[in-house]
Structure formats: C-alpha cells, structure tokens
Amino acid sequence: MKRRSNSPDVARRNFLKGASLASAAALAAPTAANAIPAPPQPKLKAALPGPLQIAADTQPPNKDPATQATSGGDFMVDVFNTLDIDYLAMNCASSFRGLHEAIINGKNNKIEILTCPHEEIAVAMAHGYAKIEGKPMAMICHGVVGLQHATMAMYNAWCDRVPVYVMGGNIVEANKRMPGAEWVHSAIDIGALTRDFTKWDDQPTTLQHFAESAVRAYKIAMTPPMGPVLLSLDAELQENPIQEAETLRIPKLAKVMPPQGDSGAIAEAAKLLAGAENPVIVCDRLARTPAGLARLVELAETLQCAVIDNAGRMNFPARHPLNMSFRRGPVLSQADVILALEMNDLWGVLNQFSDRIVRSYRQVYKKGAKVVTLGSRDLYQKANYQDFARFQEVDLAIAGDGEASLPALTEAVKRLIDEGRKSAYDARGKKLAAARLAMIEQAKSDATLGWDASPITTARMCAEVYAQIKDEDWSLVGNAIRNVWPLRLWDIKKAYQWNGASGGAGVGYNAPASVGAALANKRHGRLTVAFGGDGDLMFVPGTLWAAAHHRIPLLYVLHNNRAYHQEVMYLTAMAARHGRGVENAHIGTTLTDPNIDYATVAKGFGVYGEGPITDPKELAPAIKRALAVVKRGEPALIDVVTDPR
Amino acid sequence: MIETRSPRARAAALAVAAFILNAAGLGCFGTQARAQDAPPGDAANGRSVYLKVNCFQCHGRAGQGGAMNYPAPPLAKTAMPFEGFKMVVRESMRDMPAYNEAVLADKDLVDIYAFLQSLPDQRPAKDIAILGD
C-alpha cells in the first residue's frame, strides 16, 4: 500500500534525481581559476525573479501535499466502534495525534475521551471501571515516555487480572521522525517495556493488520484469565491517507466464552465436597460478573459450608451466615476439604508467616485435608514478576474459569446429597450462622473502642459514612490499606458494592480506580463512595481534576494518617530487631511538617473539599454536605484525620 | 523454612491464642483476676511510652486494635495476663516487632500494661445509634 508521497520508494527516486541534478550543476559551474570574462549583457527591462520564483519554476511538482481527505485514524475509529468500548482515557501526546484528531472530529466516533493529567491515572481509571462495568476502557499514551508513566498501573491490572486496552503511539520508520522529541519518543519495540505484565501486544504495520490485531487484543483481554493488552500504533498509520480502502475489512468480534473445568475433575471435586465433614470454600477473584456472586452463594448454601473471602472481587455477601472471612483460623484448622476458587495466593491463606530473621511459616489448615483448586490462573502465567505467589501443594488442580464452572460443580454436589447428608449440612450451617452473628456483634463492640477519640478511629469513620448511605443504592469502590471496617460492619451484598483492590499493591491505584469505577456507576445512577489513603492520593493528586472535569460523582473519604503507614510499621520492626531507634521510624515515612491540607488541594482542582476533620462529632455533618454535592453529580473529598489503622 | 519455635516463642503464641479465645468469649481466663495480678504501673508514663515506641501504630491510640499484615488485636482493658503480655512483646509473633529491653525497659512495659488497663472498655454497641444496623 502506498503511504505518503515521500514513501520509501518515491523518496528514493527523489533522492536519485536530486543527486543527478547536483552532478550536472557541478560540471556546469564556472570556477574562479579559469574564469572567462562574460560578454556584455543587454539591459533588462524587468526585475530579476526572486529565489522563491526561481524555486517554483525549477523544482519538480509538489509531492508532499498539505491536506488529505481520509486518514488511517478514521479507519481505526471505525474499528473501535465495533468493539464494546465507551471511553478512551488519555494524556494527550503527539505520537497519537492522528487517532486523537480522528476521534474528536470523525463523524462516526462513539468513544468519549477522558482527559487525564497522568498516564498512571488513565490506566488506573480503566482498571476500576472494568471491574464495575465488566468490560475494558481504552487508554492511549506516548509509546515511550507515556508508557513508562503507565507501567505501574498496568502491572496492577495484570496482577488483578483486569482487562485494560492500552495503546501507545510510536513512529516506527526512522526516516519519518522529526529531529528532537520524535526520536527520543520512539522505539523499535515499545511492548518490550510491558511484555512481562501484559497478556499480548502487537505493532500493526498496515490498517488491515491493525483491524485484526485490535479485535484480537480485545478478545484476548476479555478471555479469562483477563489482563491488559497493548497495541503500538505507528503514527504514519494513524495520520496518512487510507490507500485501497475497498480492501479493508473489520473482523467480527465473537462472543468470548470462558473456559470451564474438566467435567470429570468437577465430578471428583463434588464428591470430595459432598462427603466432607467440614468443607471450606476460599476465594479471591471469583466473581467476574454479578452471576459469580449468585453462583457462589448457591454452592455455599447447598453445602452449608464456611466461605473465606479474600475480597479480590465482590464474591460473597459480607453478612451472609456462612461468611467466615474474619474467623479463618478456627475454620481452616477444622477443614477436611478446601475448595479454592480463583485464588492468587492460596499459600498465604493456608500458612501463617513470621516476618522475622528466619522468616519461618506454619501451616494453619488441618494436616491431611484435601485441597482442590479451581481457577483460570494456571492457564496463563509469566515468569519474571512473581505475582503468582508461593507454590501451594494441592490434591486436585482444575484449570478453568471459576464463575463459569460453578453451575456444573453445584449441580454435581446436589446430585450427591441424600437426606442424611442434608440433615448434617443443615446442622453445620446453623453452627456457622450462630458464629457469624457473634462475629457481627463483636465487630460492633470493637467499633466502639475509641469512638470519641481524636484522631478519629477508622471504625467510626466507616460507621459514619455507612449510616448516611445505607438506604441509598450505594457502591463502595475504593478502600484504604487494611481498613477492614466496611467488610466487618457494612451489609455489602450486591455485585457492585465492593470493587476489590489494586492487585499489585502499587501505590497510586485507589484514587483513580475509584474515579473510574464511579464513572461506570454514574450510568447506573448509583451513589459511589470510596475510602483512600493520603499516601496513595499524593501519588496521583491530578485524579481530582479529572473527576471534576468529567463531572464524575464520587464521595472520596480520605483516611489521612499522615504517613505511608505500612512503612512506619516495617521500619519500627527493623529498628526493634536491631534494638535501637524505634522512635525514629517516622523519618522518611510520614507526611507531616507541613501537614497537607487536602481540602484545599481538592478545591484547587475544582473538587468540593472539607477538612481536615479531627473531631469525630464534625464528621457526620461534613459527610452530609459532601453527599449533597455528590448527588448533584460532582465529586467531593472529605479529609478525615485518623488513627493509623 | 517450616517454623520450629523456641519454647519462649511457643509460650508467646499460646498466650496470644488464649487471649484471642478469651476475647471471643471462648476462653477460661478470669479477666479481672489476671489484670489484678499485674505489677502496679504508671499509666501516664505508659501512655507516653505506648506512643513513643509506636505500639499505637498497629493497636491504635485508644487500644482499639488494627492491623499490619495480620490483625493487631484490641488492647484496651486487655484480658491477657501481664506475663503473657510481656512474653508477646518480648518475643512477638508473625509481623509484630519484638521489643527487647534495649528499646523497651521492663518498667516501661509495666507502665504500658497499666495504661492499657486504664483505657475505656468497649461500650454496648446498642448505645451508639448508627451501629444499630
């Protein structure tokens, strides 16, 4: 396909022509040594032509037109319209100016651009959005420097098995790069930077190649185990006129069906579960859709067994009588069959680790218990980054999507239940339900400790927020590290009322992911709230501007402990190990002197802000005022000065 | 490596386990009697040291508990007997720092225990309206 008029073959001919003319000119030019005096010239009646006129008269016709009627970017927009993508998050960059222009000015575009002041914000917004909406958001950046900004957020999405559709602009052909930024912003292979934590990447060389890779990328991202993908978009391909348009074809995106576990293995697992005295289900990233939640409830209630939820997704209702997530030690110590559903770190659940010099560990589940895994992680792993966690020895490993495989497993279990077993199951369920009720009452009692203290306890912060949203159609989409109170106190039961965590524990996820999730909720009219740490927000404060600019309603409650608190504790542990300087652990770990005024920061970005709130009595009125702002369609931030955890 | 605990570490683990069972209403300690067995301490100094050596970072200023990588139990009016408490602080377990005498003198440990006993206990949740649901 022809490219620009100065495409390689044409340019080469021009180069040869230029070289011939230069030789002829050299032969014809007089030299000073053998110069012959020129004969007298007749007097001219008109002025001599200027250099521009000479150039116009002597140069070949213009081969570098200034305008064009079509562009590859227009075709790319047509391709995106066939994919189920509603938003493109970006920080603008010249290496994708062709596509950018096609999106904002093309007639057929359906994608809305989200302006983000940092690529990490753009990817994390897409991350949070995908978990609520169940489909990817696209993100585009400079393929070199922008992608470097985006990488940590992409790593989070990889670890969390979330589809994010990332694109990076690049100028592939060296002779097409303008001097300066275009050279330092180009690479032979931009995907090399992120290949360890993307499912797939490609650098299409033609528009037809792009169409096929764009559809392939979507399909791969959405096939469990899901994950981010990357397309490198050549600037020439985006910007130049479409050649041979009649030959271009956009492939159909097929319905993506997740893989199910082997039927024989499912039957074997069902037999183990049905015959167990104390079966236990542990899960992490099970529920991809609302169906996952319902299916897990059905299996657990069929077995009347304990469920330990690592809460990577909204897997199981927080107050369900069988939810033993905060009683995992006693439950695991009595388990004789453990079913692990879409677990990432099963070893971490089944063992207790001592972070001391030897770093020893101890198994916390009963010796001889049978362990069955069902999940899609075994279907796709990479080697370098160690997000697959420590190897756990199991008895039966079923590779298949957990949510898709649950109906077959539940039906297989039901077929094995007779009256005797049903009676035993019911008795088991009653015991667990009684324990669950006691746990809820214990949580409420624990929450009263320090109720009127300042700094404010995290329990009170969470209780005050819940009191004002519990009768609304609410969605909690973000949480500060180790803030267990929503899961202990709140009646979290709908698929969109919990949105998991970052996956990679990369700081700077929570604020933008919450905004992305709030954007997804906006369409459904839900009231979105999030808790977030101050350290996290300081990585990506520009998130607030993006939320204000796009009118994304979200109540962001800042759990402001004025520190990178996990590190305060780690440093304390190191100092204690050495028997020195425990009181110095604040150095390099805290965000004080000066204290940051986040309400003012928020206001500076156009977001409603209140705080710092140190008196717990002032919290409820502040939440009420902020919720009024959110209900009229705007973001709001409350800065709550809290106890560390 | 698989954990092979020292006798003291095992005792610390047992003390914590007993404490947790007791907190859950499943243990057999007589809370008041055990607390009274503790040596007398200076609660005001205990509070100061509790904050200085970062106990509050995990367990909260009001002794309400918290978490590091594992849960950090509430310590207000702790039901753990002083000897068990001391053993846990000195030996620790999981991800809790072990405080030896170089960073936390025995006298300060006694004072911290006194401070924890001086903290307000849990209130009936029903007395706080918003905890009702």
Side-chain angles (χ1 to χ4, degrees):
Chain A
M1 187 175 83
K2 286 174 76 175
R3 307 282 287 279
R4 274 181 176 167
S5 56
N6 60 344
S7 61
D9 51 343
V10 176
R12 185 168 177 270
R13 286 198 296 275
N14 284 344
F15 168 74
L16 291 173
K17 189 190 295 177
S20 301
L21 287 170
S23 302
L27 286 171
T31 62
N34 59 358
I36 300 171
Q41 297 294 314
K43 193 173 181 182
L44 295 173
K45 294 180 179 173
L48 283 169
L52 287 175
Q53 184 62 48
I54 292 170
D57 292 344
T58 58
Q59 292 299 309
N62 188 0
K63 298 288 186 187
D64 192 2
T67 61
Q68 62 193 66
T70 65
S71 77
D74 292 334
F75 176 71
M76 291 177 176
V77 169
D78 289 341
V79 174
F80 291 137
N81 285 341
T82 70
L83 305 175
D84 193 13
I85 293 175
D86 296 329
Y87 297 101
L88 175 65
M90 67 160 70
N91 183 257
C92 53
S94 59
S95 58
F96 61 86
R97 64 187 185 181
L99 178 59
H100 190 166
E101 193 278 336
I103 289 172
I104 60 173
N105 291 328
K107 290 182 207 161
N108 303 321
N109 174 49
K110 295 177 185 168
I111 293 180
E112 180 180 341
I113 286 176
L114 300 173
T115 309
C116 302
H118 195 294
E119 290 82 355
E120 185 175 332
I121 293 171
V123 174
M125 279 178 68
H127 185 166
Y129 169 91
K131 284 193 282 187
I132 288 289
E133 200 65 356
K135 64 182 187 182
M137 177 189 286
M139 178 271 176
I140 192 164
C141 59
H142 255 323
V144 174
V145 289
L147 193 61
Q148 288 172 16
H149 278 306
T151 49
M152 196 288 297
M154 290 174 70
Y155 182 65
N156 272 340
W158 162 259
C159 294
D160 202 19
R161 296 299 185 259
V162 169
V164 179
Y165 199 98
V166 180
M167 295 173 284
N170 194 19
I171 303 178
V172 176
E173 293 180 51
N175 55 313
K176 299 297 174 58
R177 297 176 195 147
M178 190 157 51
E182 289 192 354
W183 276 89
V184 294
H185 288 176
S186 297
I188 294 170
D189 176 16
I190 66 167
L193 180 68
T194 57
R195 197 158 291 136
D196 276 330
F197 44 90
T198 48
K199 272 191 85 179
W200 186 76
D201 68 88
D202 194 17
Q203 183 164 272
T205 54
T206 66
L207 288 177
Q208 185 59 41
H209 183 173
F210 166 81
E212 293 170 19
S213 290
V215 177
R216 189 196 300 270
Y218 191 98
K219 190 180 81 164
I220 289 172
M222 288 296 287
T223 302
M226 298 183 188
V229 291
L230 171 70
L231 285 180
S232 171
L233 300 187
D234 181 20
E236 294 275 300
L237 205 58
Q238 302 169 50
E239 296 175 15
N240 287 353
I242 299 172
Q243 303 290 335
E244 299 167 5
E246 67 280 0
T247 67
L248 294 176
R249 183 176 175 278
I250 303 171
K252 181 171 63 181
L253 174 66
K255 190 175 180 183
V256 177
M257 300 305 293
Q260 290 190 35
D262 171 75
S263 58
I266 292 287
E268 191 177 342
K271 193 175 173 186
L272 284 168
L273 289 165
E277 190 176 341
N278 284 309
V280 174
I281 296 170
V282 294
C283 55
D284 191 3
R285 298 191 177 97
L286 171 72
R288 290 180 288 100
T289 73
L293 169 67
R295 290 172 184 178
L296 179 57
V297 169
E298 186 180 3
L299 176 62
E301 290 181 353
T302 299
L303 286 162
Q304 288 296 307
C305 72
V307 175
I308 294 173
D309 184 2
N310 257 20
R313 298 287 188 275
M314 181 56 214
N315 298 311
F316 201 65
R319 289 189 181 175
H320 193 283
L322 299 171
N323 191 328
M324 296 290 122
S325 303
F326 289 96
R327 193 171 167 260
R328 48 185 69 195
V331 165
L332 287 171
S333 68
Q334 295 172 35
D336 50 352
V337 174
I338 297 166
L339 172 65
L341 297 171
E342 296 291 356
M343 285 296 297
N344 179 46
D345 186 8
L346 179 59
W347 190 94
V349 171
L350 299 183
N351 294 274
Q352 195 173 84
F353 193 81
S354 283
D355 181 13
R356 292 160 57 131
I357 296 166
V358 175
R359 297 176 77 80
S360 60
Y361 65 93
R362 166 173 83 82
Q363 180 178 313
V364 296
Y365 66 105
K366 191 162 78 175
K367 194 175 177 184
K370 298 287 185 191
V371 180
V372 179
T373 57
L374 169 57
S376 57
R377 288 188 73 90
D378 288 349
L379 297 169
Y380 193 86
Q381 289 287 4
K382 292 195 177 185
N384 188 19
Y385 292 98
Q386 303 286 295
D387 62 294
F388 37 76
R390 190 161 179 177
F391 186 78
Q392 172 64 46
E393 184 179 344
V394 304
D395 298 281
L396 178 61
I398 308 174
D401 179 65
E403 179 178 315
S405 305
L406 275 187
L409 178 60
T410 304
E411 287 310 308
V413 168
K414 285 179 178 174
R415 286 195 292 273
L416 295 169
I417 299 175
D418 56 23
E419 279 306 311
R421 276 184 172 161
K422 187 169 186 318
S423 171
Y425 291 3
D426 288 346
R428 182 165 70 208
K430 280 179 184 163
K431 280 185 190 171
L432 291 168
R436 184 72 192 104
L437 276 178
M439 290 158 66
I440 292 169
E441 291 310 308
Q442 184 68 50
K444 289 178 180 177
S445 294
D446 288 348
T448 68
L449 284 168
W451 186 256
D452 297 317
S454 176
I456 297 167
T457 66
T458 51
R460 177 143 189 191
M461 174 181 72
C462 295
E464 294 283 3
V465 172
Y466 185 59
Q468 296 196 42
I469 65 165
K470 63 185 172 63
D471 295 326
E472 310 269 358
D473 186 20
W474 57 269
S475 172
L476 176 64
V477 297
N479 196 24
I481 297 172
R482 310 283 179 211
N483 177 22
V484 297
W485 291 107
L487 290 168
R488 289 188 76 189
L489 292 176
W490 294 22
D491 189 12
I492 301 174
K493 60 188 173 192
K494 294 180 183 171
Y496 51 84
Q497 288 182 331
W498 178 258
N499 209 30
S502 67
V507 181
Y509 159 87
N510 197 72
S514 298
V515 171
L519 176 65
N521 277 333
K522 181 180 178 181
R523 192 166 70 85
H524 303 284
R526 298 171 189 145
L527 178 62
T528 309
V529 298
F531 298 102
D534 53 325
D536 178 272
L537 185 60
M538 280 297 284
F539 271 73
V540 281
T543 301
L544 297 171
W545 178 85
H549 180 71
H550 292 288
R551 311 290 189 273
I552 299 173
L554 165 69
L555 173 60
Y556 202 76
V557 182
L558 200 66
H559 166 25
N560 181 5
N561 55 25
R562 292 174 172 158
Y564 301 106
H565 185 256
Q566 188 79 1
E567 307 310 316
V568 174
M569 296 191 291
Y570 279 133
L571 208 56
T572 301
M574 283 295 101
R577 185 187 287 190
H578 292 101
R580 63 187 183 193
V582 169
E583 62 273 19
N584 293 332
H586 65 284
I587 299 172
T589 56
T590 50
L591 291 165
T592 56
D593 190 19
N595 292 332
I596 299 161
D597 181 351
Y598 291 98
T600 299
V601 170
K603 288 171 192 166
F605 284 123
V607 170
Y608 179 87
E610 283 216 36
I613 297 170
T614 55
D615 182 349
K617 291 188 186 69
E618 293 178 4
L619 197 47
I623 294 168
K624 188 174 182 182
R625 289 188 292 270
L627 281 174
V629 172
V630 175
K631 286 177 183 176
R632 67 170 187 249
E634 297 171 27
L637 178 143
I638 300 177
D639 175 9
V640 185
V641 179
T642 60
D643 225 18
R645 285 281 159 89
Chain B
M1 64 175 287
I2 295 177
E3 192 173 73
T4 52
R5 288 175 170 166
S6 69
R8 290 182 70 191
R10 271 201 300 275
L14 283 171
V16 169
F19 163 62
I20 291 169
L21 284 171
N22 205 39
L26 304 170
C28 54
F29 286 113
T31 305
Q32 291 304 317
R34 291 294 182 173
Q36 286 164 9
D37 288 345
D42 177 351
N45 182 58
R47 179 180 183 278
S48 171
V49 178
Y50 183 83
L51 297 175
K52 182 181 163 192
V53 302
N54 284 339
C55 306
F56 79 99
Q57 299 280 5
C58 294
H59 297 281
R61 288 178 172 85
Q64 72 269 28
M68 191 173 169
N69 294 305
Y70 293 97
L75 295 177
K77 286 272 189 301
T78 178
M80 192 185 298
F82 177 75
E83 286 306 316
F85 172 79
K86 181 179 175 182
M87 197 168 288
V88 171
V89 173
R90 293 286 186 231
E91 287 291 324
S92 86
M93 59 189 300
R94 300 188 298 203
D95 53 359
M96 177 178 165
Y99 289 81
N100 64 24
E101 288 186 45
V103 293
L104 186 61
D106 277 347
K107 163 72 170 63
D108 288 338
L109 199 53
V110 170
D111 292 348
I112 288 174
Y113 191 81
F115 163 65
L116 297 174
Q117 295 303 333
S118 75
L119 287 169
D121 203 351
Q122 293 169 342
R123 294 155 59 178
K126 62 179 173 53
D127 291 354
I128 298 172
I130 63 171
L131 288 175
D133 190 9

